[in-house]
Amino acid sequence: MIDFKDTPNPNAKKIDIQHKYEIAVNLSIEGAKGNEEITKLLLNPGIKSIFTGPGFLTVLKEESADWAEIMQSLEINTDII
């Protein structure tokens, strides 16, 4: 299960995880090619992009999307990340 942490931005949640992406990049479906887990995450309804930071990823949702629905969808897909 993914451990999402709240951020000051209500449309963003943080995941502490080591990754090999360049730091300070917004990943979209195109930018995540070659990483099945990130692609699966981005394909979930309501997720807009993923921002890369040192030792973390920040998941950004569409403003109209609901975190509860996103989280429920992700719980079903427990193989993500």
Side-chain angles (χ1 to χ4, degrees):
M1 189 163 134
I2 302 170
D3 183 23
F4 284 98
K5 296 181 179 179
D6 290 336
T7 71
N9 178 349
N11 293 322
K13 294 213 182 259
K14 179 180 167 185
I15 304 169
D16 289 323
I17 186 170
Q18 294 302 316
H19 59 82
K20 296 180 181 178
Y21 290 106
E22 182 180 346
I23 303 301
V25 173
N26 272 312
L27 296 174
S28 63
I29 291 291
E30 297 79 26
K33 286 183 181 175
N35 187 311
E36 186 177 343
E37 291 83 10
I38 298 296
T39 299
K40 285 180 184 179
L41 189 57
L42 285 164
L43 287 173
N44 277 275
I47 294 181
K48 183 177 181 178
S49 66
I50 297 174
F51 178 79
T52 62
F56 70 90
L57 300 173
T58 300
V59 178
L60 300 155
K61 73 172 187 69
E62 301 286 342
E63 193 160 334
S64 61
D66 179 57
W67 278 119
E69 290 176 12
I70 291 171
M71 300 297 206
Q72 183 178 17
S73 173
L74 293 175
E75 286 177 14
I76 292 168
N77 299 307
T78 56
D79 61 337
I80 297 174
I81 303 185

